[in-house]
């Protein structure tokens, strides 16, 4: 069985075909990341999550944050719930860990700008 | 009057990259003018990731991408002014700006770079029918409210237009607890990147209504519902109406280069890109005034903005060193079958170092075709394309040798494979 996917590993968006029976062989990719994505998307889909947390004393009310790696797609809303409970105080440096090992994913939430 | 070598109008990714590039190659007196309270431009509100794969070989969020450039600007000690709005640009390269501390100031430059970015088309610009109750706004405005101020503009949201900002906002609002009832697109295909359809709509089961548009907005002072209809040749088909109860309608119906200053200065514009007509050196018809980034043509990838602005910066260095050849004898770039525009629009071969990078967009979605570059009847280059779409900018590189046989003009067209 061949599955058609669009690679989201970069904005080019290659049209992939993944041959599930043939060890998830990928065609249609323009680079190696497409091979990794095609296989993983069918076995264990993951995503980077970006959002904001409340910041006190900053020039704005929100600090943008992101996961420093991909988390399972099914965990996205659990992570969002955690983020809604966080309040940080300026100054914060870009890259600072805001939540360690969020929802036991082994991934941290980090600040995506200084404020 | 204060004198500068270069004044750059707009401190987004284009202005930042141009300033750094000039500084890298020539000790120059540079001033970057930004009307906002911070440098970085639109990137600051684009908190999603997807920036920097080409330039940094890693995937960054908008603010991270901006901060790398801003840090470098500080490191290099390049002068900039915030909260400073340029109000007039003169063809002799005098620039008038205003801010609270200094009031109205006029300064003089040898060269000016336009990097004012773009703005979003609004309800008025697309002739949206019905009332204008509150709750109708551009997707970018909603993005700024949410990501910078922490204010969610609605709980039940519909989005008109499938441009990237709308798609990104659909996901963003779902994550923040809103219901996104759907996205309507008048064209039979999406105006956004495919990856955004997949990871913003498909991931969250948000329906995309292609060939649909909003035909009615209901509500007195506040929006209460929207009605969408299927369209044929842009005309709504009666009986296909679907109504959604909403408290917000976001518009993601296109970006337009911000060229008020340029037009008032007498810069010639391209009616298709809505940006200035430029040559291989990103110079406009006015000597010493250059343009790059979204003010020149709308880019979907910041990496392309950075690369383009670096090339513009290099050209400005040449200009300051009197190394740019002035000549009216240029090659015209002509968009033929299937191509909607080409940037730059004019080329003086003598100013090209070794290669020229062209950007173009196609008019519709194509599969397994060729992009053919010709001068008169001679084919200069044929590029095989598996897939092209209007949402994705195409890049073509031409070597100096490719111009050897060119007379007068070059045309580019989309052609069936033989
Ligand atoms: C919502 C959105 C999502 C995007 N997503 C992606 C993505 O996922 N990946 C990607 O690679 N790219 C993405 N892009 C594209 C990319 O970010 C932009 O094309 C790029 O950042 C534009 O840079 P710019 O400097 O040309 O314009 P801008 O960033 O808009 O900068 C223009 C600056 O000029 C200033 N200015 C304007 N007029 C004046 C004046 N008169 N006086 C003083 N200052 C002035 C403005 O305040 C602004 O700061 C996205 C763009 C948008 C809008
Ligand atoms: S296969 Fe490579 S080039 Fe194609 S979309 Fe995926 S990451 Fe991008």
């Amino acid at each position: 069985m061949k599955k058609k996917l669009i690679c989201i590993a970069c904005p080019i968006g290659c049209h992939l075909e993944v041959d599930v029976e043939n060890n998830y062989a990928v065609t249609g990719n323009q680079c190696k990341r497409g091979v990794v994505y095609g296989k993983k998307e069918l076995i264990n889909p993951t995503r980077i999550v970006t959002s904001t947390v409340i910041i006190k004393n900053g020039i704005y009310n929100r600090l943008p944050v992101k996961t420093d790696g991909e988390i399972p797609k099914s965990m996205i809303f659990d992570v969002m719930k955690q983020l809604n409970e966080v309040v940080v105080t300026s100054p914060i440096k870009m890259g600072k860990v805001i939540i360690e090992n969020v929802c036991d994913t082994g991934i941290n939430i980090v600040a995506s700008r200084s404020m | 009057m204060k004198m500068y070598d270069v004044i750059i109008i707009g401190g987004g990714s284009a202005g930042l990259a141009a300033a750094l590039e000039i500084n890298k190659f020539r000790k120059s007196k540079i001033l970057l003018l930004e009307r906002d309270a911070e440098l970085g431009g639109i990137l600051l509100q684009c908190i999603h990731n997807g920036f920097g794969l080409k330039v940094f070989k890693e995937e960054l969020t908008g603010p991270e991408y901006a901060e790398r450039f801003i840090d470098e600007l500080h490191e290099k000690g390049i002068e900039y002014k915030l909260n400073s709005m340029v109000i007039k640009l003169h063809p002799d390269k005098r620039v008038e700006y205003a801010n609270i501390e200094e009031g109205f100031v006029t300064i003089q430059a040898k060269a000016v770079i336009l990097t004012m970015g773009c703005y979003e088309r609004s309800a008025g610009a697309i002739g949206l029918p019905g009332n204008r109750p509150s709750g109708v706004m551009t997707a970018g405005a909603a993005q700024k409210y949410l990501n910078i101020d922490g204010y969610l503009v609605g709980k039940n949201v519909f989005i008109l237009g499938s441009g990237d900002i709308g798609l990104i906002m659909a996901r963003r609002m779902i994550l923040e607890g809103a219901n996104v009832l759907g996205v309507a697109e008048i064209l039979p295909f999406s105006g956004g990147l495919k990856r955004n359809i997949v990871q913003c709509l498909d991931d969250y089961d948000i329906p995309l209504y292609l060939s649909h548009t909003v035909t009615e907005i209901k509500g007195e002072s506040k929006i209460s519902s929207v009605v969408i209809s299927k369209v044929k040749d842009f005309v709504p088909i009666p009986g296909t109406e679907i109504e959604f109860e909403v408290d917000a309608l976001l518009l993601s119906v296109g970006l337009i280069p911000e060229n008020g200053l340029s037009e008032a200065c007498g810069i010639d514009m391209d009616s298709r890109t809505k940006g200035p007509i430029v040559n291989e050196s990103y110079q406009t018809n006015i000597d010493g005034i250059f343009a790059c980034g979204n003010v020149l043509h709308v880019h979907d990838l910041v990496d392309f903005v950075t690369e383009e602005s670096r090339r513009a910066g290099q050209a400005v260095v040449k200009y300051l060193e009197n190394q740019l050849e002035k000549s009216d004898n240029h090659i015209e770039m002509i968009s033929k079958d299937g191509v909607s525009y080409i940037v730059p629009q004019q080329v003086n071969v003598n100013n090209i170092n070794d290669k020229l990078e062209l950007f173009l967009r196609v008019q519709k979605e194509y599969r397994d075709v060729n992009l053919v570059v010709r001068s008169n009847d001679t084919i200069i280059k044929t590029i095989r394309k598996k897939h092209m779409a209007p949402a994705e900018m195409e890049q073509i590189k031409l070597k100096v040798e490719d111009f050897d046989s060119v007379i007068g003009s070059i045309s580019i067209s989309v052609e069936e494979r033989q």
Side-chain angles (χ1 to χ4, degrees), chain A residues 7-14 16 28-35 37:
Chain A
C7 179
I8 61 167
C10 95
I12 292 172
C14 293
L16 307 180
N29 55 306
Q30 283 182 41
C31 82
K32 284 187 205 135
R33 297 178 62 196
V35 178
Y37 174 82

Side-chain angles (χ1 to χ4, degrees), chain B residues 9-15 33-36 40-43 46 48-51 84-86 115-118 143 165 255 258 261 292-295 299-303 305:
Chain B
I9 308 175
S13 47
L33 291 169
E34 170 54 52
R35 68 177 169 199
D36 267 351
I42 195 75
L43 288 173
C46 299
H48 57 282
N49 63 322
F51 302 82
S84 300
M85 168 104 175
V86 173
T115 51
M116 289 94 73
C118 57
Q143 186 179 47
I165 316 176
L255 299 166
E258 173 122 28
L261 285 175
C292 54
N294 277 354
V295 79
H299 297 63
D300 12 67
L301 292 184
V302 71
D303 302 68
V305 171

Side-chain angles (χ1 to χ4, degrees), chain A residues 17-63:
Chain A
E17 257 187 277
V18 188
D19 192 346
V20 178
E21 274 105 49
N22 185 12
N23 194 24
Y24 295 88
V26 175
T27 47
N29 55 306
Q30 283 182 41
C31 82
K32 284 187 205 135
R33 297 178 62 196
V35 178
V36 178
Y37 174 82
K39 187 167 180 181
K40 201 171 65 179
E41 183 65 12
L42 293 180
I43 297 170
N44 171 31
T46 56
R47 296 287 184 267
I48 296 268
V49 174
T50 62
S51 187
T52 57
V53 296
I54 296 174
I55 184 166
K56 297 279 180 219
N57 301 333
I59 55 166
Y60 305 118
N61 303 325
R62 290 293 183 276
L63 175 78

Side-chain angles (χ1 to χ4, degrees), chain B residues 25-271:
Chain B
F25 290 103
R26 182 181 188 272
K27 203 172 171 310
S28 307
K29 207 165 145 50
I30 303 171
L31 177 65
L32 184 57
L33 291 169
E34 170 54 52
R35 68 177 169 199
D36 267 351
E38 285 191 293
L39 295 172
I42 195 75
L43 288 173
L44 297 181
Q45 69 182 65
C46 299
I47 64 164
H48 57 282
N49 63 322
F51 302 82
L53 266 166
K54 268 187 86 137
V55 169
F56 292 115
K57 304 277 176 288
E58 54 181 310
E59 197 164 6
L60 303 172
T61 64
E64 288 172 310
Y65 190 92
E67 195 159 321
R68 292 196 178 188
F69 284 86
I70 297 167
D71 284 349
E72 200 182 335
L73 197 85
H74 285 143
E75 209 178 284
K76 298 284 161 27
I78 296 172
E79 187 183 349
Y80 64 91
K81 287 180 193 287
L82 301 175
N83 301 308
S84 300
M85 168 104 175
V86 173
I87 39 193
K88 196 158 175 61
L89 167 66
H90 297 268
D92 62 4
K93 284 152 287 185
R94 272 178 303 134
V95 173
E96 295 179 35
Y97 69 91
N99 63 33
I100 301 219
E101 295 88 52
E102 299 173 278
F104 289 86
V105 185
T106 305
I107 49 181
Q108 174 78 56
K110 292 180 189 155
V112 172
I113 313 181
L114 308 173
T115 51
M116 289 94 73
C118 57
Y119 63 92
E120 291 178 278
R121 290 173 78 188
S122 61
I126 54 163
L128 212 57
N131 293 335
R132 286 283 186 283
S134 72
V136 182
M137 73 197 77
T138 65
Q143 186 179 47
K144 194 166 185 183
Y145 281 131
L146 184 56
N147 293 346
I148 308 256
D149 304 321
Y151 174 69
L152 188 64
V153 297
K155 280 264 167 222
N156 293 295
V157 186
F158 196 85
I159 298 174
L160 174 60
S162 61
D164 286 314
I165 316 176
L167 301 177
I168 296 281
M169 277 312 285
R171 172 179 64 183
R172 186 72 190 109
M173 296 197 66
I174 290 254
L175 287 183
E176 290 295 346
N179 295 316
V180 178
L181 301 164
V183 177
E185 168 60 56
I186 195 163
L187 296 172
F189 53 84
S190 162
L193 294 172
K194 277 167 298 191
R195 70 179 326 220
N196 286 338
I197 304 277
V198 174
Q199 60 182 354
C200 298
L201 299 188
D202 299 352
D203 270 7
Y204 301 95
D205 298 321
I206 301 170
L208 173 60
Y209 297 92
L210 294 173
S211 301
H212 277 76
T213 192
V214 169
T215 43
E216 196 179 351
I217 297 172
K218 294 185 184 172
E220 283 306 315
S221 62
K222 180 119 186 69
I223 186 169
S224 57
S225 69
V226 294
V227 178
I228 66 168
S229 306
K230 203 172 163 60
V231 297
K232 189 170 190 292
D233 301 326
F234 297 98
V235 180
I237 307 169
T240 60
E241 295 84 1
I242 316 173
E243 184 164 350
F244 299 91
E245 276 182 33
V246 297
D247 53 5
L249 171 65
L250 306 191
L251 308 173
S252 177
V253 288
L255 299 166
I256 302 178
E258 173 122 28
N259 277 295
L261 285 175
S262 331
E263 281 173 85
C265 178
I267 291 170
D268 289 341
M269 305 292 284
D270 183 329
S271 60

